Amino acid sequence: MDLVNHLEGRLLFAVPKKGRLQQATLDLLSGSDIQFRRETRLDIALVKNLDIALVFLPAADIPTFVGEGSVDLGITGRDQVAEHEATSPSTDHSGVEEVLDLGFGKCSLKVQVPEKGAITNPKELIGKNVVTSFTGLTKQYFARLEKEVQEEHKGLENGYTIVTDHSKTSKEQRTKIKFVGGSVEAACALGVAHGIVDLVESGETMKAAGLKDIDTVITSTAILIKNKNSKNQEMIDLIASRIRGVITAQKYVLCQYNIARTSLEIAKGITPGKRAPTITALDAQDWVAVSSMVEKKHIANKMDELTKIGATDILVLEIANSRTG
């Protein structure tokens, strides 16, 4: 099939073709009933049940394609969007807007130095070599530090006493930012850099490389983004609603139980639900059934609290999907 000739009239939706965000993204699409079959070696897949075409791209490229309007919608990391904005600021005719925080792919872009080295303050890296794959954000970060140091030196020149560990840093120095596409954590051990700026998830890779973090440039999660001038807003709203429903379903469970009417107000305080719990009269005098959405991470404690006030027949049900206000 000549896929290019079948794209007209379809919303183009960019998703990561590989990497740490891909599987969670595919699971999200499946939960949203976005049905497709990707042929081997093809980076475009037509959605069977909606007027959408999925475009598989490197996560780092998705903000560029969305920002320039080549695709309407995309899933990537907030770090990648920030890097794009740092190197290609939005204009009246280009740029991206965040639609939804997807809640997975959490990580941080951190300044890292050798664990056994003498550097403990990021300002000590000014004038030295720093390696990263996020050159835009890193240049912004160190430009801000360099400005702070310049202001401190002005204070010293004007007779103010400012005590800092980096007071010997020359105001003329500029940090040397070097781009490396992969294996950034090896740069210090190989003598290429005095420090690096790289993504950290669990921190295991950082520790294994003998590094420690001394500051955070940006924290990140996966986000849904759109072109700010997209003309397919109705379809974007539909997709966002479906994805939001899946995220809610993953976050909550449905808690059902029976409670004496005299204890109902206390029970409602324990399980208030998203808006309000559903209350149903039972065929037993002065008893009611309650149904309420509860965050998964709190459900065990909520069940304990309900048991203490006399709730019975407490059931917890998984939510496959949802549409909530």
Side-chain angles (χ1 to χ4, degrees), residues 12 18 52 54 63 78 82 105 138-139 144 155 168 182 194 196 207 247 257 271 299-300 307 312-313 321:
L12 301 185
K18 59 183 179 179
I52 299 172
L54 300 181
R78 184 175 283 112
T138 302
K139 287 177 181 178
R144 185 171 64 252
K168 295 181 181 180
H194 299 92
I196 67 170
K207 293 176 183 176
I247 293 172
Y257 56 91
T271 58
I299 189 59
T307 300
T312 64
D313 307 314
N321 210 327

Short mmCIF file of all heavy atoms in Angstrom, two decimals, residues 12 18 52 54 63 78 82 105 138-139 144 155 168 182 194 196 207 247 257 271 299-300 307 312-313 321:
data_model
loop_
_atom_site.label_atom_id
_atom_site.label_comp_id
_atom_site.label_asym_id
_atom_site.label_seq_id
_atom_site.Cartn_x
_atom_site.Cartn_y
_atom_site.Cartn_z
N LEU A 12 -2.34 13.58 11.75
CA LEU A 12 -1.05 12.92 11.88
C LEU A 12 -0.58 12.99 13.33
O LEU A 12 -0.48 14.08 13.91
CB LEU A 12 -0.02 13.58 10.95
CG LEU A 12 -0.36 13.57 9.46
CD1 LEU A 12 0.79 14.15 8.65
CD2 LEU A 12 -0.70 12.17 8.98
N LYS A 18 11.14 4.31 19.23
CA LYS A 18 11.93 3.44 20.10
C LYS A 18 12.23 4.19 21.38
O LYS A 18 11.81 5.33 21.57
CB LYS A 18 13.23 3.02 19.41
CG LYS A 18 14.13 4.18 19.03
CD LYS A 18 15.37 3.70 18.29
CE LYS A 18 16.26 4.88 17.88
NZ LYS A 18 17.48 4.42 17.18
N ILE A 52 -6.92 8.82 11.55
CA ILE A 52 -5.62 9.16 12.12
C ILE A 52 -4.56 8.32 11.43
O ILE A 52 -4.80 7.16 11.07
CB ILE A 52 -5.59 8.88 13.64
CG1 ILE A 52 -6.64 9.70 14.38
CG2 ILE A 52 -4.21 9.14 14.23
CD1 ILE A 52 -6.79 9.32 15.84
N LEU A 54 -0.57 7.24 12.37
CA LEU A 54 0.53 7.32 13.34
C LEU A 54 1.85 7.44 12.59
O LEU A 54 2.08 6.73 11.62
CB LEU A 54 0.55 6.08 14.23
CG LEU A 54 -0.70 5.82 15.08
CD1 LEU A 54 -0.51 4.55 15.91
CD2 LEU A 54 -1.01 7.00 15.97
N PRO A 63 9.02 17.18 18.83
CA PRO A 63 8.66 18.60 19.00
C PRO A 63 8.89 19.44 17.74
O PRO A 63 8.13 20.36 17.45
CB PRO A 63 9.57 19.06 20.14
CG PRO A 63 9.88 17.82 20.90
CD PRO A 63 9.98 16.75 19.87
N ARG A 78 8.80 16.01 28.21
CA ARG A 78 8.83 17.46 28.44
C ARG A 78 10.26 18.00 28.26
O ARG A 78 10.45 19.14 27.86
CB ARG A 78 8.31 17.78 29.84
CG ARG A 78 8.22 19.27 30.12
CD ARG A 78 7.60 19.59 31.45
NE ARG A 78 6.14 19.45 31.42
CZ ARG A 78 5.45 18.52 32.07
NH1 ARG A 78 6.10 17.65 32.83
NH2 ARG A 78 4.14 18.47 32.00
N ALA A 82 11.32 21.15 25.90
CA ALA A 82 12.10 22.28 26.44
C ALA A 82 13.38 22.49 25.63
O ALA A 82 13.77 23.63 25.36
CB ALA A 82 12.43 22.03 27.91
N GLY A 105 7.32 7.93 32.26
CA GLY A 105 8.60 8.40 31.75
C GLY A 105 9.23 9.47 32.61
O GLY A 105 9.93 10.36 32.11
N THR A 138 21.40 23.16 28.23
CA THR A 138 22.64 23.29 28.98
C THR A 138 23.26 24.67 28.79
O THR A 138 23.75 25.28 29.75
CB THR A 138 23.64 22.20 28.53
OG1 THR A 138 23.04 20.90 28.75
CG2 THR A 138 24.93 22.27 29.33
N LYS A 139 23.20 25.20 27.56
CA LYS A 139 23.71 26.55 27.32
C LYS A 139 22.91 27.59 28.10
O LYS A 139 23.48 28.52 28.67
CB LYS A 139 23.69 26.85 25.82
CG LYS A 139 24.75 26.12 25.02
CD LYS A 139 24.62 26.39 23.53
CE LYS A 139 25.70 25.64 22.74
NZ LYS A 139 25.55 25.85 21.28
N ARG A 144 22.95 31.36 32.60
CA ARG A 144 22.35 31.93 33.81
C ARG A 144 23.36 31.94 34.95
O ARG A 144 23.50 32.93 35.68
CB ARG A 144 21.10 31.15 34.20
CG ARG A 144 20.33 31.74 35.37
CD ARG A 144 19.01 31.06 35.57
NE ARG A 144 19.15 29.65 35.93
CZ ARG A 144 18.86 28.63 35.13
NH1 ARG A 144 18.43 28.86 33.91
NH2 ARG A 144 19.01 27.39 35.54
N GLY A 155 29.83 43.03 42.41
CA GLY A 155 29.67 43.38 43.81
C GLY A 155 31.01 43.49 44.51
O GLY A 155 31.24 44.41 45.31
N LYS A 168 36.84 32.66 42.83
CA LYS A 168 38.02 32.80 41.97
C LYS A 168 37.69 32.63 40.50
O LYS A 168 38.54 32.75 39.64
CB LYS A 168 39.08 31.77 42.38
CG LYS A 168 39.64 32.00 43.79
CD LYS A 168 40.69 30.97 44.13
CE LYS A 168 41.23 31.18 45.53
NZ LYS A 168 42.27 30.16 45.87
N GLY A 182 25.28 9.96 22.49
CA GLY A 182 25.04 8.80 23.34
C GLY A 182 26.21 8.54 24.27
O GLY A 182 27.30 9.11 24.10
N HIS A 194 34.70 17.74 32.24
CA HIS A 194 34.78 17.87 33.70
C HIS A 194 33.43 17.55 34.34
O HIS A 194 33.37 17.22 35.53
CB HIS A 194 35.19 19.30 34.07
CG HIS A 194 36.53 19.69 33.55
ND1 HIS A 194 36.71 20.31 32.34
CD2 HIS A 194 37.78 19.52 34.09
CE1 HIS A 194 38.00 20.54 32.14
NE2 HIS A 194 38.67 20.07 33.19
N ILE A 196 28.94 16.55 33.15
CA ILE A 196 27.98 16.26 32.08
C ILE A 196 26.60 16.74 32.52
O ILE A 196 26.35 16.99 33.71
CB ILE A 196 27.90 14.74 31.76
CG1 ILE A 196 27.31 13.95 32.94
CG2 ILE A 196 29.26 14.20 31.36
CD1 ILE A 196 26.98 12.50 32.61
N LYS A 207 25.45 6.19 39.06
CA LYS A 207 26.30 5.64 40.11
C LYS A 207 27.33 4.67 39.53
O LYS A 207 28.49 4.66 39.95
CB LYS A 207 25.45 4.94 41.16
CG LYS A 207 24.57 5.90 41.96
CD LYS A 207 23.67 5.14 42.93
CE LYS A 207 22.74 6.10 43.67
NZ LYS A 207 21.79 5.37 44.55
N ILE A 247 -5.78 7.20 31.51
CA ILE A 247 -4.91 7.59 32.63
C ILE A 247 -5.68 7.55 33.94
O ILE A 247 -5.19 7.06 34.97
CB ILE A 247 -4.32 8.99 32.39
CG1 ILE A 247 -3.36 8.95 31.21
CG2 ILE A 247 -3.61 9.51 33.64
CD1 ILE A 247 -2.87 10.32 30.77
N TYR A 257 -19.09 -0.67 48.89
CA TYR A 257 -19.28 -1.24 50.22
C TYR A 257 -20.66 -0.89 50.74
O TYR A 257 -21.36 -0.01 50.21
CB TYR A 257 -18.20 -0.73 51.18
CG TYR A 257 -18.14 0.79 51.29
CD1 TYR A 257 -18.89 1.48 52.26
CD2 TYR A 257 -17.33 1.54 50.45
CE1 TYR A 257 -18.83 2.86 52.37
CE2 TYR A 257 -17.26 2.92 50.54
CZ TYR A 257 -18.01 3.58 51.51
OH TYR A 257 -17.97 4.94 51.60
N THR A 271 -14.25 8.24 51.49
CA THR A 271 -14.28 7.98 50.04
C THR A 271 -15.17 9.02 49.35
O THR A 271 -16.29 8.72 48.95
CB THR A 271 -14.80 6.56 49.74
OG1 THR A 271 -16.12 6.42 50.29
CG2 THR A 271 -13.89 5.51 50.33
N ILE A 299 -5.89 2.90 48.40
CA ILE A 299 -7.04 2.02 48.61
C ILE A 299 -6.90 1.14 49.85
O ILE A 299 -7.88 0.91 50.59
CB ILE A 299 -7.31 1.15 47.36
CG1 ILE A 299 -8.64 0.39 47.51
CG2 ILE A 299 -6.17 0.24 47.05
CD1 ILE A 299 -9.85 1.26 47.72
N ALA A 300 -5.71 0.62 50.15
CA ALA A 300 -5.56 -0.26 51.31
C ALA A 300 -5.89 0.49 52.60
O ALA A 300 -6.63 -0.03 53.47
CB ALA A 300 -4.14 -0.82 51.37
N THR A 307 -13.46 -0.27 57.38
CA THR A 307 -13.71 -1.40 58.27
C THR A 307 -13.89 -0.93 59.72
O THR A 307 -14.77 -1.41 60.45
CB THR A 307 -12.55 -2.41 58.19
OG1 THR A 307 -12.43 -2.88 56.84
CG2 THR A 307 -12.79 -3.59 59.12
N THR A 312 -19.20 -3.01 55.52
CA THR A 312 -19.13 -4.45 55.22
C THR A 312 -19.14 -4.67 53.71
O THR A 312 -19.43 -3.77 52.94
CB THR A 312 -20.34 -5.19 55.83
OG1 THR A 312 -21.54 -4.73 55.20
CG2 THR A 312 -20.42 -4.97 57.33
N ASP A 313 -18.80 -5.89 53.33
CA ASP A 313 -18.83 -6.29 51.91
C ASP A 313 -18.04 -5.31 51.04
O ASP A 313 -18.49 -4.86 49.98
CB ASP A 313 -20.27 -6.39 51.40
CG ASP A 313 -21.13 -7.28 52.29
OD1 ASP A 313 -20.67 -8.37 52.64
OD2 ASP A 313 -22.25 -6.86 52.64
N ASN A 321 -11.66 1.61 31.68
CA ASN A 321 -11.59 2.89 30.99
C ASN A 321 -12.57 3.84 31.67
O ASN A 321 -13.38 3.41 32.51
CB ASN A 321 -11.94 2.74 29.51
CG ASN A 321 -11.23 3.77 28.64
OD1 ASN A 321 -11.00 4.89 29.08
ND2 ASN A 321 -10.88 3.39 27.43
#
